[in-house]
Amino acid sequence: MKIQFTHPWILSPAEAIAVQQALRPRLTLTDQLGTVQRVAGVDVGFEAAGTVTRAAIAVLGFPELDLLETAIARRSTTFPYIPGLLSFRELPAALEALERLRAPPDLLVCDGQGIAHPRQFGIACHLGLLTDLPAIGVAKTRLCGTHEEPPDQRGAWTPLWLKGEPVGAVLRTRPGVKPLYVSPGHRISLTSAIAYVMACCTRYRLPETTRHAHRLASG
DNA sequence: GCGACAG
DNA sequence: ATCTTGTCGC
């Protein structure tokens, strides 16, 4: 698939924050999805003590979740991990992997936050904007915001509040496990994001799915 | 000023 | 991200 646009990735932290602030007004935070038939899980890992970033994409048919296509890319890491600036370390490899897909997915599920972010521009927002695809952020731990513990029941969720706004959901995908942090990235509402994440967690929790994607994409 | 801090 | 230790439920 084709990436819509990009920008420099060798930046200072202050310049990276300026990029986030410039791009944030371009987000669409309402539903703007067509028929969802292809969902892409986007995960990134590291090799060689963090000097090499490895991105793996698994495209699944929806709602059956059958594996349709995978792609992988490796890049030398050009930006350190700084909370709030994760996308500047991970996206160059993820974009390269996405470019290798034969057809664009209908929805991106990204490892990390969407608008549940100090400047409301997490990695799912950033990737959604550069591809102009609907994108959801699914994180395993909290970056910012406050919330109550969701009930221990599949599908239960509580709002994640940031500056008086509900920016995400703390979602119990299965009883007895830690909840996931779901937030919209681009072209999707919070309620739709929750529904799609639950529909993608019928067989596995997302961390298991993304780990599986890494193995499949690695061969 | 101090603590918190996706991966 | 990754690693280690302690606790609990099956």
Side-chain angles (χ1 to χ4, degrees):
Chain A
M1 66 164 286
K2 181 178 170 14
I3 305 303
Q4 293 303 305
F5 71 97
T6 188
H7 56 72
W9 295 96
I10 312 291
L11 301 168
S12 66
E15 291 169 330
I17 289 172
V19 169
Q20 293 180 325
Q21 290 170 335
L23 295 183
R24 184 181 71 170
R26 296 170 59 173
L27 290 177
T28 297
L29 294 173
T30 53
D31 285 323
Q32 205 175 79
L33 300 91
T35 304
V36 175
Q37 295 180 314
R38 296 161 51 87
V39 178
V42 182
D43 194 25
V44 178
F46 302 96
E47 302 172 357
T51 62
V52 175
T53 303
R54 183 183 73 186
I57 315 273
V59 182
L60 307 185
F62 188 86
E64 292 80 8
L65 307 185
D66 51 313
L67 182 67
L68 298 178
E69 186 177 3
T70 65
I72 193 163
R74 287 182 174 80
R75 306 256 315 193
S76 56
T77 303
T78 61
F79 198 93
Y81 171 67
I82 298 171
L85 300 177
L86 174 68
S87 60
F88 292 89
R89 165 166 158 153
E90 299 204 339
L91 282 194
L95 290 169
E96 190 175 317
L98 274 173
E99 281 180 322
R100 294 186 177 157
L101 294 179
R102 304 174 72 254
D106 303 309
L107 175 65
L108 302 176
V109 178
C110 307
D111 197 1
Q113 312 287 353
I115 60 170
H117 176 278
R119 289 168 293 280
Q120 304 205 17
F121 198 78
I123 187 168
C125 304
H126 203 157
L127 188 56
L129 212 48
L130 297 184
T131 57
D132 198 30
L133 290 174
I136 302 170
V138 180
K140 296 179 285 298
T141 62
R142 185 190 67 96
L143 173 61
C144 59
T146 60
H147 65 88
E148 298 188 337
E149 189 74 6
D152 192 30
Q153 180 181 29
R154 175 179 162 84
W157 61 277
T158 53
L160 178 62
W161 297 95
L162 186 64
K163 297 185 298 181
E165 296 295 323
V167 295
V170 188
L171 177 63
R172 190 82 65 182
T173 55
R174 283 187 58 193
V177 296
K178 291 180 63 172
L180 297 177
Y181 291 74
V182 176
S183 57
H186 185 46
R187 293 177 55 173
I188 195 165
S189 65
L190 177 57
T191 52
S192 293
I194 293 167
Y196 276 111
V197 170
M198 284 310 301
C200 290
C201 284
T202 55
R203 295 174 59 200
Y204 307 101
R205 293 195 68 218
L206 187 101
E208 301 163 11
T209 306
T210 52
R211 187 172 300 224
H212 192 206
H214 256 296
R215 287 203 306 269
L216 291 166
S218 303

